[in-house]
Amino acid sequence: MSQVMDIERYDLDIKRNSISHHTEQCGKERLIVRRGQPFNITLHLKPGSKEFKPGEESFTLIVETGPLPRKESDTKVTFGLSDSTADNEWSASASYDSSGNSVSVSISSSPNAPIGLYSLTLDQDGQKTSSGQFTLLFNPWCTRDAVYMCSETKRQEYVLAQYGLIYMGAAKRIKGKPWNFGQFEPGILDICLKILDNNPKCISDADKDCCARRNPIYVTRVLSAMINSNNDRGVLVGSWQDYTGGVHPGKWIGSGDILHQWTESGPVRFGQCWVFAALACTVSRALGIPCRVVTNFGSAHDTDANLIIENLYDEDGERISNGDSIWNFHVWVDSWMTRPDLGTDFDGWQTSDPTPQETSDGVFCCGPCSLKAIREGELTKKYDAPFIFAEVNADVVDLVRLSSGKFVQFSGSTKSVGQYISTKAVGSDDRHDITHQYKYSEGSNEERRVYKKAQHHNKLLQQGEEQGLHIKIKLADNMIVGSDFEVHAILTNNSVDARICTFLFSAKAVGYNGKLGDSCGFTSDKVEVPSGEERRMSLRLEYERYGSAITSDRLIQVSAITIDKQITNYHKAEKTIVLDEPEIHIKLLGEATVGKNVTASLTLLNPLPEHLQDCSFTVEGVGLTEGKPLTARIKAVGPKQEAKASFEFSPTSAGPCVLLVNFDSDKLKNVMSSINVSSYTDTPFIKKVTGGAKGNTSP
């Protein structure tokens, strides 16, 4: 029988373990480690205790996770000492330090162990001693982990970065929205684990669920369902119209506030796609899964799974509602992992979408689906490949319903869906276009080959431009919200004969999800266009009319349609206007020094010809505002007057940080800006970046 050690106390060596496991940003109060990598603890023996002799004496370690730890589920593992730790299973080795009368124990977890909160127990011939708790995460630094990512710069971006940009707007006018992911802020990791514990699969079978947490595919699919609240008490309630009783989605600037509200009082109201995606990114990175937020411009919502978006019109050019739609943009996440269930060809980035759109296996979730499966049209591969493929690669047909009830196709496109698919670049605030990772070049032989394979029996669109009338829409140069401006439709006759038709030119408010709202302007005329000539029609858009119609997305869709009922001939052109927002000017008054107060001064000029009510500025920054948003409310701001506020905060950590700012009011919402702040113990370096320019890219 081995000599029982008389242990006085144990030391989890949190500081050194955290540094080697890249978890030092999580704080110093608890041990957080990554699987498949050794960590060290020290057992301090009582004075006078007998020397521990490795090789001659031994003990056993027991690690347990979940409410019902079981050996059969790998949620309870017992292992003894070896000469050295193994890299493919739970193992431990020990050494004795005579000068400190202590035993140093190196423990390595399995690279396939379930993630979660573990207890650690030392067993000496039946005498058990608790040695504390630790949290085990996925490990992108471990080659044997399913989430291993070989590039250190990418790990810094997709695992450790707490700030990012989410792209919004329209394909021809892309804007970057700053976001605080804050995955290492106090309390966030516990909330992320609580999300897993509250998912219906865990509630119905905790043993099976905790065992399955070894698999990032399973965890990602659970998060896709739990970030929304449609089938459970998930984190966020979606709303695209009525925001009564909650927060307007455009007002959020970080994930932390939402997650804290959820853990305190249940589902949080409200979110839209970029908020759902940002939350999924925060939780994934917190758990150790590399993750990026992705925006797809011209994103199709194919409700009947035929890979075609059908736009229906009546004979007068009015839109007929049907289930299909094209969103100006849609946001989801990609997570990095292997796919042993599909084969190594499908390893790498996997798309998942927590925005509740359609059900999958009876639950509002989507993915994870391999980008390679989407690119190659492999629609039988799990999960939800047909829906995601259509989002980026569906074809579009425009159909007019004649008085006889017959539908006639008058135009279409194979290129309008899935444009400028964007994510933040690694290590910079530039926009990175990743369209090529989702699809082959539009119109290429490879892209059409993949579409044919994906569509199976569906009839392909007929391509080629008709020789006849052609419509082009030209927008004004400066279109800031609150201003009046003109847009123009140019009708050209490319046929050999003169053409007579009805020319309709209209503008409607539109949400980012493609849902049309009230009219913002309309004009029409019956025109004759000789061969080779053109006719121009102008439409003036005035704030007095569009101001009450537009949503906080500040989008207007302009449409030009020509109708010749005599020969059943229709033509159409559309463009989406993204109204510019005013700029928030941010100025730091003094130096940003750790532990000392610094003031940020904020100014915004009201561009509207009317008063703004219920105005407020909100700021938040990791390492600057202690993980909490700060809000200053302002009285009404008159037309062309400035809204002003100042905030005092004390940086808590040295190094680069980002202060995010959001302005909100009754008539002007979702206006954001940010400033980069490097806090030092002496003089800081500050680089200012305004919200309108930061990360913006116009293709």
Side-chain angles (χ1 to χ4, degrees):
M1 180 180 292
S2 301
Q3 177 71 34
V4 174
M5 294 183 295
D6 198 359
I7 301 172
E8 183 178 57
R9 61 184 174 89
Y10 61 84
D11 181 0
L12 297 179
D13 202 359
I14 294 173
K15 184 176 181 180
R16 280 194 292 181
N17 283 322
S18 296
I19 292 173
S20 64
H21 284 255
H22 309 278
T23 59
E24 65 270 26
Q25 295 185 78
C26 294
K28 304 174 183 178
E29 290 74 32
R30 56 195 290 190
L31 178 59
I32 302 170
V33 294
R34 301 186 186 274
R35 63 184 193 174
Q37 180 179 336
F39 61 94
N40 299 306
I41 67 171
T42 302
L43 306 176
H44 293 276
L45 307 183
K46 290 183 179 179
S49 296
K50 183 180 178 181
E51 177 182 344
F52 176 79
K53 297 178 180 179
E56 297 181 16
E57 301 175 22
S58 186
F59 51 82
T60 299
L61 293 168
I62 305 169
V63 292
E64 298 175 294
T65 187
L68 302 168
R70 293 196 319 134
K71 177 181 177 181
E72 295 78 8
S73 302
D74 288 333
T75 51
K76 178 179 181 179
V77 183
T78 301
F79 53 98
L81 297 180
S82 305
D83 292 336
S84 61
T85 56
D87 60 8
N88 60 350
E89 61 182 357
W90 285 95
S91 59
S93 63
S95 62
Y96 178 71
D97 179 8
S98 58
S99 63
N101 193 27
S102 62
V103 177
S104 178
V105 183
S106 178
I107 301 171
S108 184
S109 61
S110 165
N112 194 39
I115 64 164
L117 179 64
Y118 279 77
S119 64
L120 176 63
T121 303
L122 188 145
D123 186 351
Q124 301 183 82
D125 294 329
Q127 181 177 321
K128 296 181 179 179
T129 305
S130 173
S131 299
Q133 294 181 323
F134 62 93
T135 301
L136 190 67
L137 306 178
F138 292 109
N139 192 354
W141 285 264
C142 175
T143 58
R144 297 167 303 283
D145 197 304
V147 302
Y148 171 67
M149 179 173 268
C150 64
S151 168
E152 177 59 24
T153 55
K154 290 183 178 179
R155 291 191 294 248
Q156 291 289 326
E157 180 70 44
Y158 299 132
V159 183
L160 300 182
Q162 298 196 76
Y163 157 81
L165 290 168
I166 302 173
Y167 294 97
M168 306 170 71
K172 295 296 183 181
R173 201 164 182 83
I174 298 174
K175 297 185 177 184
K177 178 186 179 76
W179 192 270
N180 265 336
F181 297 116
Q183 66 268 30
F184 302 123
E185 290 291 274
I188 295 299
L189 179 56
D190 287 334
I191 297 172
C192 296
L193 295 174
K194 181 179 177 180
I195 291 173
L196 296 182
D197 290 341
N198 277 261
N199 94 82
K201 294 181 179 180
C202 182
I203 294 171
S204 64
D205 191 339
D207 176 59
K208 183 178 180 181
D209 174 80
C210 290
C211 176
R213 295 183 193 180
R214 69 176 70 241
N215 186 352
I217 303 169
Y218 175 84
V219 171
T220 299
R221 190 155 172 81
V222 166
L223 294 181
S224 174
M226 282 297 294
I227 295 301
N228 70 72
S229 62
N230 283 44
N231 301 106
D232 42 54
R233 286 187 60 78
V235 178
L236 195 61
V237 179
S239 181
W240 284 261
Q241 286 183 314
D242 183 9
Y243 310 113
T244 304
V247 175
H248 188 285
K251 197 171 180 179
W252 302 113
I253 57 178
S255 303
D257 196 24
I258 299 172
L259 292 171
H260 281 293
Q261 286 189 36
W262 174 77
T263 198
E264 292 169 4
S265 55
V268 179
R269 302 172 182 268
F270 294 102
Q272 293 177 3
C273 69
W274 69 90
V275 189
F276 287 109
L279 286 172
C281 185
T282 293
V283 179
S284 297
R285 290 183 183 181
L287 298 177
I289 301 174
C291 190
R292 65 186 184 187
V293 177
V294 174
T295 302
N296 178 39
F297 290 94
S299 190
H301 185 166
D302 180 23
T303 56
D304 54 8
N306 66 349
L307 307 185
I308 296 177
I309 302 301
E310 295 146 323
N311 296 323
L312 309 181
Y313 297 83
D314 64 21
E315 285 188 302
D316 296 320
E318 285 293 317
R319 188 76 171 265
I320 302 173
S321 177
N322 73 327
D324 289 350
S325 62
I326 298 178
W327 297 28
N328 280 282
F329 67 89
H330 183 50
V331 187
W332 56 68
V333 293
D334 287 344
S335 303
W336 183 269
M337 65 194 70
T338 60
R339 289 302 298 263
D341 57 329
L342 304 180
T344 56
D345 287 346
F346 299 97
D347 292 349
W349 288 116
Q350 315 288 323
T351 292
S352 64
D353 188 352
T355 300
Q357 296 185 87
E358 303 290 337
T359 59
S360 175
D361 295 332
V363 177
F364 278 98
C365 67
C366 182
C369 179
S370 166
L371 262 64
K372 293 178 182 177
I374 299 167
R375 190 171 191 255
E376 296 297 332
E378 296 283 352
L379 304 194
T380 61
K381 304 299 183 184
K382 297 186 294 187
Y383 292 91
D384 307 306
F387 184 79
I388 300 171
F389 180 88
E391 286 185 301
V392 302
N393 216 12
D395 283 352
V396 180
V397 295
D398 296 316
L399 303 168
V400 60
R401 185 175 65 187
L402 305 179
S403 56
S404 64
K406 179 182 178 181
F407 283 95
V408 176
Q409 178 181 331
F410 66 92
S411 66
S413 172
T414 63
K415 300 180 180 180
S416 58
V417 167
Q419 301 183 61
Y420 304 108
I421 303 175
S422 304
T423 191
K424 179 184 174 297
V426 174
S428 78
D429 285 349
D430 294 334
R431 184 185 71 89
H432 179 39
D433 193 305
I434 57 172
T435 308
H436 63 284
Q437 296 182 19
Y438 278 86
K439 57 199 290 190
Y440 289 100
S441 178
E442 284 289 5
S444 66
N445 291 335
E446 293 88 350
E447 189 264 343
R448 289 291 91 188
R449 170 186 61 80
V450 168
Y451 185 84
K452 288 178 181 179
K453 178 170 68 173
Q455 198 186 38
H456 299 297
H457 60 275
N458 286 325
K459 184 178 180 181
L460 284 172
L461 295 172
Q462 298 298 315
Q463 299 182 47
E465 185 175 320
E466 178 187 349
Q467 294 298 312
L469 296 176
H470 175 73
I471 309 172
K472 181 179 180 180
I473 295 175
K474 185 176 181 180
L475 304 180
D477 291 331
N478 297 309
M479 298 178 292
I480 188 168
V481 63
S483 66
D484 300 338
F485 52 89
E486 285 190 346
V487 293
H488 307 277
I490 303 168
L491 176 61
T492 304
N493 184 4
N494 295 320
S495 65
V496 296
D497 299 318
R499 302 290 291 271
I500 300 176
C501 62
T502 301
F503 196 1
L504 310 175
F505 196 16
S506 63
K508 288 187 175 182
V510 62
Y512 84 92
N513 61 351
K515 184 173 182 179
L516 292 173
D518 294 338
S519 174
C520 300
F522 175 80
T523 186
S524 66
D525 195 9
K526 190 166 186 177
V527 298
E528 179 178 357
V529 190
S531 174
E533 295 189 15
E534 67 179 34
R535 293 290 183 266
R536 177 182 293 249
M537 182 175 287
S538 298
L539 180 62
R540 184 167 179 80
L541 298 180
E542 299 178 342
Y543 177 77
E544 184 178 0
R545 183 165 183 183
Y546 75 72
S548 60
I550 60 173
T551 71
S552 61
D553 301 322
R554 292 186 286 277
L555 301 175
I556 300 174
Q557 185 181 92
V558 290
S559 300
I561 296 178
T562 63
I563 302 173
D564 186 346
K565 294 184 180 181
Q566 296 299 317
I567 59 173
T568 317
N569 188 273
Y570 292 76
H571 294 271
K572 185 194 75 169
E574 284 183 346
K575 274 195 175 181
T576 299
I577 296 171
V578 182
L579 296 172
D580 290 329
E581 62 194 43
E583 182 178 342
I584 301 175
H585 296 277
I586 312 171
K587 185 178 181 180
L588 289 188
L589 308 179
E591 299 179 343
T593 306
V594 174
K596 295 184 179 180
N597 289 339
V598 63
T599 299
S601 173
L602 314 177
T603 306
L604 176 141
L605 178 66
N606 174 16
L608 306 187
E610 58 181 330
H611 281 76
L612 298 177
Q613 306 289 343
D614 303 322
C615 302
S616 66
F617 284 101
T618 300
V619 302
E620 181 182 337
V622 173
L624 298 174
T625 63
E626 298 182 344
K628 300 177 181 179
L630 307 175
T631 298
R633 305 196 181 279
I634 310 167
K635 296 180 179 179
V637 178
K640 310 302 179 183
Q641 292 185 350
E642 289 185 335
K644 296 183 178 181
S646 62
F647 290 86
E648 190 175 82
F649 56 90
S650 177
T652 57
S653 60
C657 301
V658 180
L659 183 69
L660 274 62
V661 181
N662 180 80
F663 176 81
D664 186 65
S665 68
D666 62 333
K667 299 181 182 68
L668 193 60
K669 297 179 180 292
N670 202 14
V671 181
M672 297 195 68
S673 185
S674 63
I675 185 171
N676 291 348
V677 180
S678 288
S679 298
Y680 293 91
T681 54
D682 42 50
T683 304
F685 170 81
I686 303 168
K687 178 184 176 184
K688 182 183 177 186
V689 184
T690 59
K694 186 177 179 64
N696 291 2
T697 305
S698 293

